[in-house]
Amino acid sequence: MGRLVVILLGLFALAACDPGYDSTVLDSDGKPLPKVYRIRPGQTAEIQYRMLDAVNALRASAGAGPVQLDPALNAAAATHSRDMSVQNRPWHFGSDGSSPLDRVQRAGYAGTLLGENISETFETEMQTLAAWMEEQGTREVLMDPRATKMGFAWHQERSGKLWWTLLMGT
């Protein structure tokens, strides 16, 4: 009898692991909510180079030259991503009133800033890049033929929300 109880308890425990139905959470429009894209510690270089490769592929197809990651632009992008999270709004001004030009100068960037793209999303860097390519203004920043340097960084909140910042310069 004791053995039967143990087996039944084990089966109940296993049954609890599978809800037996599709547990996908739906949005108000009936479509599934996106799964949270979690960035793990140590993925910074991987994600930055994946973005760099994608941007350079897009630029090449448009006849623009390649860009290289710049440490000062990366630092300015990271600072702004964290600051947008603190402000809880995606915009181009820092909580201290700083502009993109101010931030890249503070980070020690000696070149000319050509533009800044920002995003507040739960999407991956590639989905964010695709969204930027769909909008004329952000696409122009990415495809600026004068660009030779790029900075790219993000801040991810505990909820999974991502604040992306991409900077292009000469």
Side-chain angles (χ1 to χ4, degrees), residues 158-169:
R158 287 184 181 178
S159 68
K161 183 189 289 186
L162 285 154
W163 301 85
W164 300 103
T165 304
L166 181 139
L167 297 162
M168 297 294 264

Side-chain angles (χ1 to χ4, degrees), residues 6-80:
V6 170
I7 291 172
L8 285 174
L9 287 174
L11 289 174
F12 284 124
L14 287 174
C17 294
D18 181 11
Y21 59 88
D22 184 3
S23 61
T24 302
V25 178
L26 301 179
D27 200 355
S28 60
D29 63 2
K31 294 181 181 177
L33 287 173
K35 294 191 188 301
V36 173
Y37 174 57
R38 288 277 177 205
I39 298 174
R40 295 182 314 276
Q43 284 189 291
T44 300
E46 172 189 342
I47 291 170
Q48 285 178 323
Y49 281 104
R50 185 168 40 238
M51 179 61 91
L52 178 68
D53 290 345
V55 166
N56 279 333
L58 290 167
R59 289 175 61 81
S61 70
V67 294
Q68 297 177 338
L69 284 174
D70 183 90
L73 289 178
N74 285 342
T79 298
H80 191 54

Side-chain angles (χ1 to χ4, degrees), residues 149-162:
K149 303 290 182 186
M150 181 179 101
F152 180 65
W154 59 91
H155 174 75
Q156 186 164 38
E157 296 177 355
R158 287 184 181 178
S159 68
K161 183 189 289 186
L162 285 154

